[in-house]
């Protein structure tokens, strides 16, 4: 169940925080397919991508963590 979505600056990928399964999905926007599911644990509720597209910041509600993911940039 996606809770939040954010796009890479170049628009090629979107990232969703999936609160129920503790993952972040990476979506190829050209094909609208999920290319990866990254386990982050907990209950991820929001995701944002840095302006240079090299990192995604994910917040987890259940344990108040901030997770930093390296992205394809």
């Amino acid at each position: 169940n996606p809770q939040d979505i954010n796009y890479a600056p170049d628009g090629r990928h979107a990232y969703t925080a999936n609160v129920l399964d503790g993952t972040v999905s990476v979506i190829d926007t050209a094909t609208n397919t999920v290319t990866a599911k990254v386990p982050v644990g907990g209950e991820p509720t929001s995701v944002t991508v840095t302006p240079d597209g090299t990192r995604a910041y994910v917040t987890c509600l259940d344990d108040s963590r901030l997770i930093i993911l390296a992205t394809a940039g």
Side-chain angles (χ1 to χ4, degrees):
N1 292 9
Q3 178 76 20
D4 187 33
I5 187 167
N6 204 309
Y7 293 86
D10 63 9
R12 293 178 21 204
H13 295 97
Y15 301 87
T16 63
N18 306 312
V19 70
L20 293 182
D21 68 359
T23 65
V24 171
S25 293
V26 181
I27 302 164
D28 181 321
T29 58
T31 61
N32 291 321
T33 57
V34 175
T35 59
K37 282 185 104 173
V38 181
V40 295
E43 296 176 352
T45 55
S46 62
V47 60
T48 192
V49 182
T50 58
D52 64 3
T54 61
R55 290 183 205 90
Y57 292 91
V58 182
T59 59
C60 288
L61 176 66
D62 62 337
D63 56 6
S64 301
R65 286 182 301 138
L66 174 67
I67 297 157
I68 303 169
L69 303 175
T71 63

